[in-house]
Amino acid sequence: MKEVKSIPLNFTQTFLADRTLIARLLAFAARNGSGTKEQISEATGIPTGAKSGKVEPMIHYALAMGLIDANRAEGVWSLSLSTVGEAVYEEDPYLSETITLWLLHLMMCRPLSISEPGRGIADAWFALFADRGYRLGNRFAIDTYIDYLTERHGNAATVKKLASLVVRMYEDESALALTSALTCCADKNYQFLSARNERSYYPLYSAYLLLLWDQFFPTQQQIQLGELFEKGKVFTLLNWSTDDGSAWLNWMSDHRIMQFDRQTGETLALRLQSTDEAVKDIYSLLI
């Protein structure tokens, strides 16, 4: 697994993620495309300009979502599909399935590394959905989120715009609104909604869990399950209780993705499936 790197805080340049534009970028990356932002704009139709534009923000969104690998040298970007990107491009190239949007959401909320478990690859998303704790709880005011991000990153003016953009991502259907991960209430506060606890989504959650395993415990075949869930903030991100997760864990055991040993007090997990196999199976239970 390639090293997970943080994305600059202001990578959005105030642009929302646009599924249509990211889908065009996926097709470009599938051809191992490379070029300056102007050349990528010409090849994909994603607008850009001399000082601003959507090409580089969409590249950073695709990186945060785990869809592509990218290198930039002397102004030239080289893009290729990641394993996750290959699965998405084969099964849902236009990013239209709700399960795909949940995948992109989960990937954006990933923690950064075992050495920095309190930071995320796209930290504004990680802070809100995975590391919110009691500070934001299950319902929050936008000003509380702004204060939280300001404490993490300073620069109140930039953070205020970013916080507003993050929540708008979950109100705009061209972005991630169809996840229903976040909703605006009548009093203008926001409430977290739970991930779908449906059998058809269990392969997605399992693949995500194995991606986290690779990130935190790359050399270990057996670990304490609770430690993986804690480091990955998994139940907070899904907005589930541990009881909510029991059917999913049973499904993983039944399908030989992991084997669980609960006899020692702490549940030990032995991985039985490779991450690549799990990623390829994400869409396997969709009708």
Side-chain angles (χ1 to χ4, degrees):
M1 180 181 179
K2 291 183 179 293
E3 181 185 359
V4 175
K5 296 181 180 179
S6 63
I7 309 293
L9 185 68
N10 62 348
F11 77 89
T12 68
Q13 297 180 29
T14 73
F15 293 114
L16 292 175
D18 186 311
R19 290 187 285 131
T20 300
L21 300 185
I22 294 171
R24 294 181 193 172
L25 198 64
L26 269 189
F28 182 79
R31 303 190 297 270
N32 293 317
S34 64
T36 64
K37 64 180 183 179
E38 291 82 9
Q39 290 168 330
I40 295 174
S41 175
E42 184 176 351
T44 62
I46 301 172
T48 198
K51 294 185 178 179
S52 67
K54 295 186 177 182
V55 168
E56 291 186 332
M58 295 307 131
I59 289 174
H60 283 117
Y61 273 120
L63 277 167
M65 294 169 174
L67 294 171
I68 64 171
D69 297 316
N71 291 300
R72 184 175 182 269
E74 299 181 354
V76 176
W77 286 95
S78 298
L79 309 182
S80 60
L81 294 180
S82 66
T83 301
V84 171
E86 288 174 353
V88 171
Y89 188 64
E90 180 176 345
E91 298 287 346
D92 185 19
Y94 299 108
L95 311 183
S96 58
E97 297 280 357
T98 304
I99 194 171
T100 300
L101 303 188
W102 260 100
L103 169 62
L104 306 187
H105 167 63
L106 294 176
M107 294 297 282
M108 286 199 75
C109 296
R110 282 175 293 167
L112 181 56
S113 68
I114 196 166
S115 61
E116 294 185 86
R119 295 288 179 181
I121 183 171
D123 194 63
W125 278 261
F126 174 78
L128 178 61
F129 288 97
D131 203 35
R132 64 184 188 264
Y134 293 106
R135 180 67 178 273
L136 299 179
N138 201 46
R139 187 182 175 98
F140 66 96
I142 187 67
D143 287 344
T144 307
Y145 177 38
I146 292 169
D147 290 344
Y148 184 37
L149 274 189
T150 301
E151 289 174 14
R152 293 170 77 98
H153 296 285
N155 201 344
T158 297
V159 160
K160 185 174 183 179
K161 292 179 182 178
L162 179 59
S164 174
L165 180 144
V166 171
V167 296
R168 283 193 292 120
M169 284 260 294
Y170 297 86
E171 299 173 314
D172 192 315
E173 288 197 3
S174 69
L176 296 178
L178 296 179
T179 61
S180 300
L182 191 67
T183 188
C184 185
C185 305
D187 60 2
K188 303 301 182 183
N189 286 335
Y190 289 87
Q191 183 171 344
F192 297 100
L193 301 180
S194 298
R196 297 187 183 190
N197 200 339
E198 300 172 7
R199 186 174 177 271
S200 60
Y201 275 63
Y202 290 169
L204 164 61
Y205 307 144
S206 301
Y208 182 69
L209 196 64
L210 290 180
L211 285 164
L212 291 178
W213 188 318
D214 289 349
Q215 186 176 332
F216 286 115
F217 308 105
T219 63
Q220 295 176 239
Q221 284 294 111
Q222 187 173 34
I223 60 170
Q224 289 187 357
L225 185 64
E227 188 175 4
L228 178 59
F229 276 108
E230 175 56 31
K231 289 186 182 299
K233 313 287 185 184
V234 175
F235 283 136
T236 303
L237 178 53
L238 297 176
N239 204 38
W240 287 1
S241 68
T242 52
D243 286 343
D244 291 332
S246 60
W248 167 40
L249 295 182
N250 289 337
W251 181 89
M252 280 198 290
S253 178
D254 291 343
H255 287 77
R256 304 287 293 168
I257 295 167
M258 293 185 192
Q259 178 179 306
F260 302 118
D261 180 355
R262 298 180 173 90
Q263 297 181 4
T264 59
E266 288 282 351
T267 299
L268 295 177
L270 175 68
R271 64 181 299 163
L272 303 175
Q273 188 178 50
S274 73
T275 304
D276 285 356
E277 289 175 312
V279 168
K280 290 176 182 177
D281 285 344
I282 285 174
Y283 297 89
S284 61
L285 297 184
L286 293 185
I287 298 174

